[in-house]
Amino acid sequence: MDIIKILWVDDEIELLKPHVMFLQSKGYGVDTLVSGDEALEELGKNNYDIVFLDENMPGLSGIETLMRIKNIQPNLPVVMITKSEEEIIMEDAIGANIADYLIKPVNPNQILLCLKKNLDHRKIKTEKKTHAYQQEFRNIGTEIDSDLSFKQWKEVYKKLVYWEIELDSVYDAGMLEVLKMQKAEANQVFSKFIEKNYRNWLNNKSDEKPLFSHTILRKKLFPVLQNTDKPVFLLLIDNLRFDQWKVLQPIIEQNYRIEEEDIFLSILPSVTQYARNALFSGMMPSEIVKKYPQYWTSENDEGTKNKYEEELLGEYLKRFGMRDVKYSYNKILSVNAGRKLSDNLSQLMDKDLNVIVYNFIDMLSHARTEMEIIRELADDESAYRSLTLSWFEHSPLKDIIDKLSEKDVKVIITTDHGSVKVDNPVKIVGDRSTNKNLRYKTGKNLNFNHKEAFDVRNPEELFLPK
């Protein structure tokens, strides 16, 4: 077992030697220093589990030292020790996020209790969560090996995401690795499940049909539009995954009550060109090509493949008998565009439906592949979630959501597709005409391992253009 290391900073540290010896006799490692500057230098070199910090020191004060420590290591517990009971000092210390507050003279048992409360609490929390996942690991493993329905797969996925986020908070590297392996196994089995059932779902040859890209508006948005006289805002966050949603949800719930949460399947290929056009048209790609060829951009055409989402949405509303619905369509591709929309939200209140497509996470996902600095910042899924949360907290999108909470409106949040961090890419060899997209390949002379890909010889079978 690793020794718990304590850094004790006090300009009268010599008077505290009996306390230091007491802690050492209890098995703690204690390093002592006499100034805030020395403490900051030491924390730059070595790791500690907790810091005891005197409030009244010459030079850099305890409060100043505390604030600088929090800038360097925000999660390091710091216990403030002071002779003063002045309220302003306590407020300054508490405002700087201290772990505890002790008044001199302190006795050894006070210090021991403080350590137990701050360090053993984290240990107990970690042990409880890891033990709970160990028990759940067996249950999830049994479920993955069963013949699951799509509804049951959704529950397995929710459990895996739940444990990813729970174990993030305690960071047990060994248990996180076990979870990563279980999720990889679930991905493999789920891929086979999709390959086995996807054709039947699309061709209505299965009793159980998941909620798909092209059915989500009809089943989730249109009933709301038909049963409210309030403006409805549909916020589509491009490439938002369920685990990212779960870390954003607590912030959104500060101003909203979530009435319903569901998971839908993107159509294949899950790229924006197919998934989002299907979502806004209520049709599969080959159906769009036949009915609205002017609104479909083919593989070989230059430029964006999602030029006509607004037009497709308009046609969808007409087909569904809602031609009188007044709607707006807003695509946000930059911070400035987001701020402008946030500033002008009042202009949208006379519309029945306002669609806002927010395209940041998709750009982040691509940058994660293409830019070394983003790869390092989002090296694993936990860091990717953290980066998503940090962006959202400071984004115009949060401002928009906050402002909408003050108005009498309905808000629906969704996405068009998700993403998967690929650790073991599949190799596909093709000629020069092969498309460059990472999620799918089209061509006449493709070479690949058929066990590693969903191979479609007749695209129209999956309602895709030839």
Side-chain angles (χ1 to χ4, degrees):
M1 181 179 172
D2 292 337
I3 294 175
I4 290 175
K5 293 180 65 178
I6 302 165
L7 180 63
W8 198 328
V9 188
D10 194 309
D11 61 310
E12 297 177 332
I13 198 69
E14 286 296 318
L15 301 176
L16 298 168
K17 272 195 173 179
H19 296 65
V20 172
M21 292 173 66
F22 171 78
L23 290 174
Q24 289 172 335
S25 73
K26 294 291 183 180
Y28 294 98
V30 186
D31 290 340
T32 59
L33 295 170
V34 297
S35 74
D37 288 317
E38 287 181 336
L40 294 171
E41 185 178 347
E42 178 67 15
L43 287 169
K45 297 176 184 175
N46 296 300
N47 295 321
Y48 289 90
D49 297 290
I50 195 167
V51 175
F52 289 152
L53 184 61
D54 182 31
E55 181 270 323
N56 186 22
M57 294 186 294
L60 205 60
S61 73
I63 297 292
E64 291 171 325
T65 305
L66 170 63
M67 290 178 173
R68 295 194 187 185
I69 289 172
K70 287 297 175 181
N71 283 333
I72 302 167
Q73 297 186 43
N75 296 319
L76 177 63
V78 178
V79 177
M80 186 67 75
I81 302 176
T82 180
K83 293 177 183 176
S84 173
E85 294 186 49
E86 287 184 33
E87 189 175 349
I88 185 66
I89 294 175
M90 291 185 181
E91 288 177 352
D92 286 346
I94 292 167
N97 196 18
I98 59 167
D100 213 338
Y101 194 95
L102 301 177
I103 307 293
K104 288 184 177 181
V106 293
N107 65 56
N109 286 328
Q110 269 183 299
I111 296 168
L112 195 59
L113 181 63
C114 175
L115 286 170
K116 296 264 181 204
K117 187 169 71 173
N118 284 286
L119 297 179
D120 288 359
H121 171 72
R122 288 196 296 166
K123 180 183 174 185
I124 291 167
K125 183 179 176 184
T126 300
E127 287 177 351
K128 281 191 172 181
K129 287 192 176 183
T130 54
H131 179 67
Y133 172 63
Q134 284 172 342
Q135 291 183 310
E136 189 74 349
F137 172 83
R138 290 187 287 273
N139 296 332
I140 294 173
T142 301
E143 288 180 282
I144 291 171
D145 291 336
S146 305
D147 186 16
L148 300 179
S149 65
F150 178 69
K151 184 177 180 181
Q152 290 169 321
W153 268 114
K154 285 199 293 186
E155 294 307 310
V156 169
Y157 181 49
K158 287 180 180 179
K159 288 177 187 177
L160 288 169
V161 167
Y162 170 81
W163 284 112
E164 277 188 306
I165 294 170
E166 281 292 290
L167 294 179
D168 273 355
S169 66
V170 298
Y171 194 78
D172 183 319
M175 202 53 62
L176 283 168
E177 187 61 31
V178 171
L179 175 59
K180 183 179 177 182
M181 290 169 61
Q182 186 166 60
K183 191 176 177 185
E185 179 192 359
N187 275 334
Q188 285 188 328
V189 179
F190 182 69
S191 295
K192 292 173 183 171
F193 171 75
I194 292 294
E195 189 168 355
K196 177 182 175 182
N197 292 283
Y198 189 72
R199 289 179 175 86
N200 290 337
W201 287 333
L202 294 187
N203 290 280
N204 297 312
K205 294 179 180 178
S206 172
D207 294 334
E208 183 199 41
K209 191 173 181 180
L211 186 62
F212 271 114
S213 306
H214 61 299
T215 60
I216 187 170
L217 295 193
R218 176 165 53 84
K219 293 190 176 181
K220 299 295 183 180
L221 171 66
F222 291 175
V224 176
L225 271 177
Q226 292 170 323
N227 292 288
T228 186
D229 55 0
K230 301 174 183 179
V232 177
F233 282 77
L234 175 68
L235 309 182
L236 189 150
I237 306 173
D238 191 3
N239 203 1
L240 182 72
R241 300 191 320 204
F242 186 68
D243 61 325
Q244 292 170 310
W245 157 249
K246 295 310 285 185
V247 297
L248 302 186
Q249 184 178 348
I251 299 175
I252 293 170
E253 285 185 323
Q254 291 171 7
N255 295 318
Y256 290 87
R257 178 169 55 85
I258 308 298
E259 294 182 357
E260 181 187 3
E261 179 185 83
D262 202 354
I263 293 173
F264 76 93
L265 272 182
S266 166
I267 65 165
L268 297 176
S270 59
V271 291
T272 303
Q273 173 189 357
Y274 292 94
R276 205 156 76 209
N277 279 331
L279 187 148
F280 282 120
S281 67
M283 305 172 78
M284 290 295 286
S286 64
E287 295 171 325
I288 301 173
V289 173
K290 289 174 185 174
K291 191 168 183 67
Y292 306 113
Q294 71 274 28
Y295 297 148
W296 182 262
T297 307
S298 69
E299 288 288 335
N300 299 322
D301 291 340
E302 295 293 327
T304 178
K305 304 292 194 286
N306 290 77
K307 295 177 184 177
Y308 304 110
E309 290 166 357
E310 182 175 1
E311 290 82 357
L312 288 169
L313 175 61
E315 297 293 345
Y316 195 2
L317 290 168
K318 289 176 188 175
R319 290 199 322 273
F320 211 77
M322 293 191 288
R323 62 176 59 249
D324 295 330
V325 168
K326 294 189 293 182
Y327 71 96
S328 73
Y329 176 87
N330 310 271
K331 187 181 289 188
I332 307 302
L333 301 173
S334 68
V335 171
N336 287 338
R339 288 178 182 149
K340 184 176 179 181
L341 181 64
S342 178
D343 292 340
N344 294 292
L345 270 181
S346 58
Q347 297 177 13
L348 303 179
M349 292 303 146
D350 63 337
K351 300 287 195 300
D352 302 306
L353 170 64
N354 296 284
V355 175
I356 300 173
V357 176
Y358 214 98
N359 190 34
F360 175 80
I361 294 178
D362 189 59
M363 290 188 283
L364 181 64
S365 176
H366 288 291
R368 193 184 186 194
T369 303
E370 298 161 4
M371 296 176 62
E372 185 175 352
I373 188 169
I374 301 298
R375 276 201 303 272
E376 291 182 5
L377 285 172
D379 181 54
D380 56 29
E381 302 295 39
S382 176
Y384 190 41
R385 285 189 290 272
S386 178
L387 196 58
T388 303
L389 177 60
S390 179
W391 158 73
F392 178 74
E393 289 179 315
H394 302 94
S395 71
L397 178 59
K398 183 178 182 296
D399 293 337
I400 291 168
I401 292 173
D402 288 346
K403 288 179 180 178
L404 289 176
S405 72
E406 299 169 1
K407 301 183 183 297
D408 191 19
V409 301
K410 289 277 190 180
V411 177
I412 298 173
I413 299 176
T414 189
T415 186
D416 49 359
H417 59 81
S419 65
V420 175
K421 184 176 185 293
V422 177
D423 294 314
N424 300 298
V426 171
K427 184 177 181 180
I428 297 177
V429 179
D431 57 28
R432 288 184 180 181
S433 64
T434 304
N435 66 315
K436 295 181 179 179
N437 199 289
L438 290 177
R439 293 183 183 231
Y440 69 102
K441 296 292 179 188
T442 62
K444 294 182 178 179
N445 300 300
L446 301 181
N447 265 316
F448 56 93
N449 183 341
H450 288 260
K451 293 180 179 179
E452 296 179 335
F454 187 1
D455 181 14
V456 180
R457 298 286 173 172
N458 177 17
E460 289 191 319
E461 183 184 11
L462 300 190
F463 294 88
L464 298 171
K466 281 188 178 179

